[in-house]
Amino acid sequence: MRYVSTRGGIEPVSFSQAVMMGLATDGGLLLPESFPQIDEATLKQWAGLSFIELAVEVMYPFVGEDISRQELVDLVERSYASFTHPEVTPVVELGPLKILELFHGPTAAFKDVALQFLGNLFELLLERSGGRLNILGATSGDTGSAAIYGVRGQERIDIFILHPKGRVSPIQERQMTTVLDANVHNIAITGTFDDGQRIVKALFNDLEFKSEYTLGAVNSINWARILAQVVYYFYAWGRVSGGDVNHPVTFSVPTGNFGDIFAGYVAKRMGLPIERLILATNRNDILSRFVNSGVYSTGTVHPTISPSMDIQISSNFERYLYYLMDENPAAVKALMEQMNSEGRLEVPEEKRVEVNRLFYAAAVSEEETQSQIRETYEQTGYILDPHTAVGVHAARAFPGAVCLATAHPAKFGAAVKEAIGVESEPPPSLQGLMEKEARCAVLDADAAVIKAYMKSTLAN
Ligand SMILES: *Cc1c(COP(=O)(O)O)cnc(C)c1O
């Protein structure tokens, strides 16, 4: 499989080049040249596979030529051995409500599904090339810890994660700073998350530094992250339908950067019987406004109890736009240029109608999120985390929908407690964090300071 850019400015690249490149060099996002088509007989057969077996089948057509089947089997087995549930991503049925639990990985949020795989994939590709990688990222909470757990202990990778000092939850901070492997470097900056992002951007734009130190990114624009997430849509469909190809499923997806829900779109394009994709946002509603109006325009970010979806620009949206614009890179480029200069873009009415045929979108308020946690708890005894509750609420008009559970409720214990008066029992990965030894540098929110720190750390 070869990969092309949404903006059409690069020669097609291989899977491993796409993984190492992250963002395409023309500023676009990378996508496969075509989608493998899965026929009905194969779908039926896949419905009987374990998560690990299925992951190999789903991913192989996308990585083949670059990675052998046996290498992929090894990668997948190692990546999901860190999950504590034997099914990896089980579906829990609570009467008509179906929950796809994606939080059984080492950091108790769904980003582990992708970042455990990406970490091992980086290792394989670097061993082959003999190279090294220095990952640099800024986090507001979940991504940082999942990325750190994805590459901890690896010999060819150092990881530097910036978080705003005192502005991530105590659990999130501890999840990062208690990882003591020599290749993990946590930096608390005396500033905001936006400062962190600004610094990371500045260092990536420092081309001399970037190439001398082979800086790499782990944000959700990496194609391998999307690919790993496609697997659980197939898995959940198999569990819920029993392999009946006349049994389409609707998925509800709590959405921020459009990565998770785009993976659902890819599954649909491969032939998975998906009826609707419910795009659920909190009050940061840029994406739900787009689905309902055809206008994509940024607003200000409001902090909510589902903080991992507090964004106002969705980095993966451009991937969907590419298909909506009939795979025409010139049209995508024009729309993205309009977005850059005017802060908004708009698609024609017939395109909006097309979006609505597959996507249903709802923005869920803080009150609705809280009352959904309460209602589900009262009716079933099951505790939803606030992100998952956003998705469950948005799916109210779709009985039987499979709702993606993106975080363990104990990770957002304060919001859960406020809704139902009790906290959820933490999984083993979240226990004892406060007592563990931690390591973290505290630095000024200044790109030059961070650069100097990275250089001196790597010189040792
Ligand atoms: C990152 C995250 C999301 C949003 O996922 P996207 O792929 O950015 O849409 C939802 N819930 C949780 C808990 C997350 O960490």
Side-chain angles (χ1 to χ4, degrees):
M1 182 72 75
R2 312 285 288 173
Y3 289 81
V4 295
S5 164
T6 49
R7 301 196 191 173
I10 64 163
E11 286 301 312
V13 297
S14 68
F15 174 73
S16 48
Q17 286 171 314
V19 171
M20 298 315 286
M21 205 181 265
L23 194 69
T25 44
D26 65 353
L29 300 181
L30 293 159
L31 283 166
E33 257 177 350
S34 64
F35 291 117
Q37 295 302 303
I38 311 307
D39 63 26
E40 294 192 346
T42 309
L43 276 173
K44 258 188 202 142
Q45 190 224 331
W46 283 8
L49 299 182
S50 71
F51 182 91
I52 303 275
E53 292 165 337
L54 182 63
V56 173
E57 298 301 332
V58 171
M59 293 199 234
Y60 189 60
F62 291 97
V63 308
E65 293 154 43
D66 268 18
I67 291 179
S68 74
R69 206 176 162 89
Q70 190 51 48
E71 282 173 321
L72 183 61
V73 170
D74 290 346
L75 272 178
V76 166
E77 282 180 351
R78 266 192 296 143
S79 300
Y80 300 110
S82 61
F83 280 59
T84 54
H85 196 285
E87 277 197 70
V88 184
T89 63
V91 180
V92 175
E93 302 207 20
L94 307 158
L97 179 61
K98 299 181 177 66
I99 304 283
L100 170 57
E101 292 186 342
L102 302 173
F103 52 69
H104 294 287
T107 73
F110 94 101
K111 291 188 172 67
D112 288 327
V113 178
L115 284 163
Q116 285 291 307
F117 177 72
L118 183 63
N120 287 316
L121 180 60
F122 274 148
E123 184 179 41
L124 174 75
L125 298 178
L126 290 169
E127 266 169 17
R128 256 190 212 172
S129 68
R132 290 194 50 83
L133 188 64
N134 292 303
I135 292 171
L136 171 64
T139 188
S140 58
D142 280 350
T143 307
S145 58
I148 286 170
Y149 273 83
V151 302
R152 64 182 297 182
Q154 291 192 11
E155 293 198 351
R156 295 180 175 276
I157 297 181
D158 278 271
I159 182 166
F160 295 83
I161 296 290
L162 276 49
H163 70 265
K165 185 174 188 311
R167 293 179 199 233
V168 298
S169 83
I171 285 191
Q172 287 176 326
E173 182 191 324
R174 285 264 146 181
Q175 280 187 301
M176 295 188 278
T177 58
T178 57
V179 180
L180 301 178
D181 300 75
N183 71 330
V184 173
H185 314 285
N186 278 290
I187 302 169
I189 54 166
T190 49
T192 63
F193 170 57
D194 288 342
D195 292 327
Q197 281 201 306
R198 185 175 46 71
I199 292 168
V200 168
K201 216 169 165 184
L203 295 183
F204 274 99
N205 283 333
D206 182 340
L207 296 183
E208 201 177 306
F209 181 62
K210 183 181 174 205
S211 71
E212 190 184 339
Y213 284 85
T214 49
L215 293 193
V218 283
N219 44 18
S220 69
I221 49 105
N222 198 303
W223 168 254
R225 283 185 64 174
I226 306 282
L227 178 58
Q229 292 172 196
V230 175
V231 177
Y232 50 69
Y233 286 91
F234 279 90
Y235 186 76
W237 174 79
R239 287 296 167 277
V240 168
S241 73
D244 176 359
V245 291
N246 297 315
H247 186 309
V249 169
T250 290
F251 288 96
S252 183
V253 190
T255 306
N257 266 320
F258 207 82
D260 203 2
I261 197 164
F262 183 74
Y265 177 76
V266 172
K268 164 106 184 156
R269 293 289 302 257
M270 292 170 70
L272 186 68
I274 292 179
E275 189 155 351
R276 298 294 288 276
L277 287 168
I278 301 173
L279 186 156
T281 65
N282 61 28
R283 64 181 289 216
N284 297 292
D285 61 353
I286 176 167
L287 287 166
S288 43
R289 275 187 288 121
F290 170 73
V291 172
N292 293 320
S293 71
V295 176
Y296 182 77
S297 70
T298 57
T300 44
V301 178
H302 303 284
T304 71
I305 57 171
S306 46
S308 301
M309 310 196 304
D310 293 349
I311 57 98
Q312 59 153 325
I313 268 284
S314 280
S315 46
N316 275 294
F317 178 69
E318 184 172 338
R319 286 195 157 110
Y320 175 64
L321 211 50
Y322 178 76
Y323 293 106
L324 188 62
M325 293 293 122
D326 307 312
E327 307 184 31
N328 175 353
V332 174
K333 208 169 156 196
L335 284 170
M336 294 315 292
E337 274 164 11
Q338 190 189 356
M339 183 71 203
N340 275 343
S341 58
E342 297 166 29
R344 82 192 279 285
L345 65 81
E346 185 166 1
V347 299
E349 175 62 12
E350 82 264 14
K351 293 293 181 193
R352 191 191 60 75
V353 171
E354 187 184 329
V355 173
N356 273 276
R357 268 200 293 273
L358 178 59
F359 293 93
Y360 165 88
V364 177
S365 72
E366 296 287 271
E367 295 71 32
E368 289 168 327
T369 307
Q370 293 262 351
S371 68
Q372 187 64 57
I373 297 174
R374 204 173 306 124
E375 188 186 308
T376 301
Y377 182 61
E378 281 165 3
Q379 288 177 356
T380 67
Y382 188 88
I383 304 179
L384 302 170
D385 107 283
H387 304 79
T388 308
V390 166
V392 171
H393 192 87
R396 283 179 159 229
F398 299 85
V402 173
C403 299
L404 276 59
T406 52
H408 191 288
K411 198 163 177 181
F412 297 94
V416 168
K417 187 157 188 196
E418 203 178 315
I420 58 174
V422 292
E423 276 187 47
S424 154
E425 175 71 18
S429 62
L430 297 183
Q431 285 172 20
L433 279 179
M434 296 302 158
E435 290 77 49
K436 281 190 185 162
E437 186 185 342
R439 191 182 72 220
C440 183
V442 179
L443 298 174
D444 288 346
D446 177 338
V449 172
I450 305 299
K451 182 174 166 180
Y453 177 80
M454 288 177 69
K455 282 186 167 182
S456 73
T457 305
L458 292 168
N460 288 326

